[in-house]
Amino acid sequence: MNTTGIVSRMPLPGPLPSSMQLNEQGRLRHLLTIEGLPRALITEILDTAESFAAMNEQAVKKVPLLRGKTVVNLFFEASTRTRTTFELAAKRLSADVLNINISTSATVKGESLLDTLRNIEAMYVDMFVVRHEASGAAHFIARHVAPHIAVLNAGDGRHAHPTQALLDMFTIRRHKGDFTKLRVAIVGDILHSRVARSQIHALNILNTGEVRVIAPKSLLPACVETLGVHVFHDIREGLKDVDVVIMLRLQRERMEAGLLPSEHEFFQLYGLTEERLALATPDCIVMHPGPANRGVEIDSRVADGPHSVILEQVSYGIAVRMAVMGMIMGGASGGGANA
Amino acid sequence: MTTTEDIAIHDIDGLIDRMAAGLRSLLAERRIDDPVMIGIHSGGVWVAERLHRELGLSQPLGSLDITFYRDDFSRIGLHPQVKPSSLPFAIDDRHIILVDDVLNTGRTVRAALNEIFDFGRPASVVLAVLVDRDGRELPVEAQVTGCFLDLGPDREIKLRGPAPLSLDIVERGGEGGA
């Protein structure tokens, strides 16, 4: 976890995100990270998401579960897909949704963030969906919000993006079923990827047969093996016989930091092409959390090809986010007031 | 102590036969020749499977999980074993037979009707239940019933299944039924 921005200003230590996201009954209270979630709870989220996915057959794609609740999308960092799928998920649960985009200027630091929170809390809201460039931001907010408010991490710095990992698990389970027999390869910029961290935790909690990461040394975090992965620097070796290929977005801003010579060279060495994909199992699936840089990490023919499930991931993202919101709001009020 | 209740609930086949006969005459009276049947998870689906076979309906059986439409979500939260609803036919302008195991407060049927109407606008809905009992809190009545039981506020009846089906009367514990 990095210590830039607000995180360095908050009092440490405190309860870990993994402990404070469950209530006394072991139900979801917040969702901050995949780390430490019990397997049974992840399975329950995926099962509940199946029911929400079936709702797409309804003429009225809406259920009254969160009627009267207010969900605030608190986005300190740009996002289209994640914000819109959270918004749709909340709306299909009949919640009211407020979108607040706060630019992360240098002035937005610890205290003014808390002021922002207090102001929104005063509007009688029930859930914050938080996206922030600083690792630990959602955790920080969860520790400081009023006790009736639930916090859902929609991506914090390099740390975690739990709903993305859950929708990826949902997509894999739909196509492949049993995780224990699977080889899954995550390819690209692991170093900066909160998605990769959350995916690795989720895959290991679900007992995935083998989790591989494929990347140049400069784009791998130190001691990445301790997360429970096999490391490959050669994409041809790494893709051999895998059932699932997860491509990550190459964050172009990293190029300036001198971690990579050029986009072109990255594609030459690590780009997913049809020829390389042929090394994987014949019925492998190709995933990407988006937005994809065509011709940088993935060839258009693969992104649009028969193995690609990239657009399915987007659809499933709504069902999975509905499941998480429903479980949190049910569990949160169920544990508290006796109505 | 043997009562008429005991006799009725130990003859599930007899109750289902009675429901099938009731449905046949109701459908004939209303001149409905191609209805669709929907069971409510889980007990209602078990009863509906039997009725669907006995009536020889042509359309596949539908099933509803009303978890997302319950009125007590904010008190009890999401049921962890929620199942996807499956209505493998268009609802618009169809005559629907809605099947549940026990009709008690009427709240489950209210939720089921709301969910059905989110799929489309049916021509009509009839309600068929294995056991109609006292305890109504909403103006909901079944058109076809296997039997009626007056259990009072302290007793509950539960259908166990799917095979074989059995009905048990139990003293009401901590859990509230719907």
Side-chain angles (χ1 to χ4, degrees):
Chain A
M1 206 188 290
N2 76 358
T3 50
T4 57
I6 58 162
V7 178
S8 59
R9 289 167 162 259
M10 71 188 205
L12 290 169
L16 290 171
S18 53
S19 66
M20 63 178 296
Q21 62 186 348
L22 301 181
N23 67 16
E24 301 81 36
Q25 292 86 43
R27 312 296 302 161
L28 268 186
R29 164 83 182 82
H30 305 288
L31 180 62
L32 306 174
T33 177
I34 295 291
E35 217 177 338
L37 284 184
R39 188 184 311 150
L41 192 59
I42 293 185
T43 304
E44 189 186 322
I45 295 171
L46 302 184
D47 290 346
T48 307
E50 283 290 348
S51 295
F52 284 115
M55 251 180 63
N56 288 323
E57 290 163 30
Q58 293 183 204
V60 180
K61 293 175 186 46
K62 212 172 165 95
V63 293
L65 220 52
L66 298 193
R67 210 154 48 107
K69 304 283 186 193
T70 304
V71 174
V72 181
N73 277 331
L74 204 54
F75 276 60
F76 297 85
E77 193 183 75
S79 159
T80 309
R81 196 179 341 258
T82 302
R83 191 186 57 71
T84 48
T85 51
F86 266 113
E87 183 173 351
L88 267 182
K91 286 181 168 169
R92 288 183 181 171
L93 293 169
S94 304
D96 294 306
V97 184
L98 196 63
N99 288 310
I100 302 180
N101 297 307
I102 302 163
S103 74
T104 45
S105 68
T107 57
V108 181
K109 292 276 169 69
E111 280 168 295
S112 64
L113 171 65
L114 283 180
D115 272 345
T116 310
L117 288 182
R118 295 286 170 260
N119 277 279
I120 303 169
E121 273 175 21
M123 301 174 197
Y124 299 103
V125 303
D126 302 282
M127 179 181 275
F128 286 149
V129 176
V130 181
R131 159 71 63 96
H132 200 290
E133 63 180 358
S135 301
H139 180 203
F140 174 84
I141 289 171
R143 288 176 51 193
H144 290 93
V145 284
H148 67 279
I149 295 180
V151 177
L152 233 157
N153 186 2
D156 61 327
R158 302 180 185 183
H159 172 236
H161 194 349
T163 58
Q164 176 71 45
L166 289 169
L167 77 89
D168 292 332
M169 298 309 112
F170 186 83
T171 308
I172 295 172
R173 197 176 76 160
R174 275 231 160 168
H175 282 272
K176 299 289 178 190
D178 184 7
F179 283 84
T180 60
K181 297 182 179 72
L182 294 183
R183 278 201 190 96
V184 179
I186 305 172
V187 188
D189 184 356
I190 313 285
L191 178 63
H192 299 99
S193 178
R194 54 194 173 212
V195 173
R197 274 171 189 70
S198 289
Q199 287 168 338
I200 292 168
H201 287 305
L203 288 165
N204 282 326
I205 292 169
L206 293 171
N207 265 338
T208 305
E210 185 188 357
V211 184
R212 301 177 177 181
V213 294
I214 307 173
K217 282 199 178 83
S218 61
L219 292 181
L220 282 170
C223 306
V224 64
E225 299 85 355
T226 58
L227 293 174
V229 295
H230 292 146
V231 178
F232 291 79
H233 300 300
D234 180 340
I235 190 168
R236 293 172 172 281
E237 262 176 61
L239 287 182
K240 211 164 282 173
D241 300 322
V242 299
D243 304 285
V244 178
V245 186
I246 301 175
M247 299 305 296
L248 298 173
R249 181 173 76 93
L250 185 72
Q251 309 193 7
R252 289 172 185 222
E253 51 274 23
R254 315 302 173 202
M255 226 76 68
E256 289 147 26
L259 294 171
L260 282 174
S262 73
E263 288 179 1
H264 179 70
E265 187 167 334
F266 184 81
F267 186 72
Q268 291 303 313
L269 288 171
Y270 291 98
L272 188 62
T273 59
E274 284 180 318
E275 178 226 339
R276 285 171 178 165
L277 188 58
L279 298 164
T281 57
D283 59 348
C284 76
I285 56 170
V286 174
M287 299 168 52
H288 194 302
N293 297 312
R294 290 163 184 263
V296 179
E297 68 261 354
I298 189 164
D299 192 309
S300 272
R301 274 167 295 187
V302 177
D304 305 325
H307 296 278
S308 167
V309 296
I310 295 172
L311 291 177
E312 275 179 54
Q313 288 175 268
V314 180
S315 309
Y316 296 156
I318 300 173
V320 167
R321 287 171 176 131
M322 287 173 80
V324 171
M325 287 177 164
M327 285 170 64
I328 287 181
M329 297 308 272
S333 38
N338 330 298
Chain B
M1 175 176 80
T2 306
T3 64
T4 46
E5 291 171 8
D6 289 326
I7 297 163
I9 69 166
H10 288 119
D11 181 18
I12 301 249
D13 291 347
L15 295 181
I16 287 177
D17 286 344
R18 219 173 128 185
M19 290 174 77
L23 279 170
R24 274 194 204 96
S25 69
L26 184 70
L27 295 174
E29 185 189 310
R30 296 195 180 182
R31 295 183 194 165
I32 295 169
D33 51 14
D34 192 18
V36 294
M37 186 175 280
I38 300 172
I40 300 174
H41 269 296
S42 341
V45 175
W46 300 335
V47 177
E49 278 165 355
R50 298 276 304 268
L51 287 172
H52 190 265
R53 238 188 345 257
E54 285 210 23
L55 295 177
L57 300 182
S58 59
Q59 296 284 332
L61 177 65
S63 64
L64 279 187
D65 187 314
I66 53 108
T67 301
F68 299 149
Y69 290 82
R70 291 178 68 111
D71 57 14
D72 50 5
F73 165 73
S74 62
R75 286 200 233 172
I76 62 165
L78 269 188
H79 192 276
Q81 271 97 44
V82 55
K83 297 269 185 303
S85 292
S86 150
L87 300 184
F89 35 72
I91 289 292
D92 282 330
D93 304 321
R94 297 307 297 255
H95 293 281
I96 291 174
I97 305 167
L98 182 62
V99 181
D100 205 0
D101 49 359
V102 179
L103 176 58
N104 182 8
T105 61
R107 289 175 193 270
T108 301
V109 173
R110 194 283 308 169
L113 287 172
N114 278 28
E115 181 163 0
I116 289 171
F117 277 73
D118 278 352
F119 280 86
R121 182 181 185 275
S124 70
V125 182
V126 298
L127 178 62
V129 298
L130 187 66
V131 178
D132 183 5
R133 63 158 292 180
D134 60 316
R136 209 77 78 246
E137 293 167 2
L138 295 176
V140 170
E141 296 308 329
Q143 282 68 56
V144 171
T145 58
C147 66
F148 176 81
L149 297 179
D150 197 350
L151 296 173
D154 299 327
R155 287 189 301 167
E156 265 190 275
I157 185 157
K158 283 213 162 96
L159 180 67
R160 298 183 202 283
L165 292 176
S166 68
L167 280 166
D168 292 327
I169 294 177
V170 290
E171 294 299 313
R172 208 180 275 268
E175 275 180 271

